[in-house]
Amino acid sequence: MLSKKTKYGIKALVHLARQEERMPVQISTISKSENISQKFLESILLTLRKNGMLGSKKGKGGGYYLLKDPNEIPMTTVMRLLEGPIAMVPCVSLNFYEKCSDCPDEASCAVNKIMLKVRDNTLEIFRNTTLADLSNTDVTL
């Protein structure tokens, strides 16, 4: 299940992507518009800023803004920053692989086989969806 952190992070990014000329937006504005706790949103936006997705400006007219064009932000990047591994089990993760301690043979493991399919299909969707795709439609998250 998608965490609230990731859900709210996507909602905030879409809000920022819809801004004209990438003007900074105050946390309170995003919080009210997207119905997200301001304190929780601060933490999410800080994570995105520290990982190079957002910039911030202090003072009058300050707030957060996208550092890249929404077309250049694939959902794989957003998901990995906020959610962590995309794979549901560590033995099929591309970036966070770990052998399962309870599995003697991945090649014959039924869970591994189905989770590989889930991972591949999920990655296909995330790789082919950008922030622009979400911000250019009237999608409600």
Side-chain angles (χ1 to χ4, degrees):
M1 188 180 307
L2 191 67
S3 69
K4 282 189 177 186
K5 176 181 179 181
T6 302
K7 181 180 177 183
Y8 294 165
I10 293 170
K11 289 175 77 167
L13 287 169
V14 167
H15 185 95
L16 292 171
R18 289 179 173 161
Q19 300 307 303
E20 297 292 323
E21 301 175 25
R22 292 206 201 126
M23 298 298 293
V25 180
Q26 292 182 347
I27 293 174
S28 60
T29 302
I30 300 169
S31 172
K32 287 176 191 165
S33 174
E34 301 301 330
N35 196 28
I36 304 168
S37 156
Q38 187 168 327
K39 192 107 174 130
F40 192 30
L41 184 58
E42 286 174 11
S43 168
I44 295 166
L45 296 179
L46 184 60
T47 297
L48 293 169
R49 185 179 66 77
K50 285 182 177 178
N51 284 282
M53 192 165 291
L54 298 179
S56 63
K57 180 181 173 191
K58 294 183 182 200
K60 187 174 180 172
Y64 282 91
Y65 56 91
L66 293 175
L67 288 175
K68 295 181 180 178
D69 186 277
N71 285 306
E72 298 172 7
I73 302 174
M75 293 314 297
T76 48
T77 302
V78 175
M79 295 300 292
R80 285 184 176 126
L81 282 176
L82 296 173
E83 194 72 23
I86 291 171
M88 295 175 74
V89 291
C91 64
V92 300
S93 180
L94 294 174
N95 295 333
F96 302 94
Y97 174 85
E98 287 181 26
K99 183 168 175 37
C100 295
S101 60
D102 60 341
C103 185
D105 181 25
E106 285 178 12
S108 64
C109 178
V111 174
N112 181 279
K113 287 178 185 174
I114 189 71
M115 288 298 114
L116 278 171
K117 289 180 182 181
V118 170
R119 181 208 64 199
D120 290 346
N121 285 298
T122 302
L123 276 173
E124 183 70 17
I125 293 166
F126 289 155
R127 282 183 181 141
N128 293 310
T129 305
T130 66
L131 185 56
D133 295 324
L134 299 179
S135 63
N136 290 333
T137 62
D138 291 325
V139 174
T140 302
L141 299 173

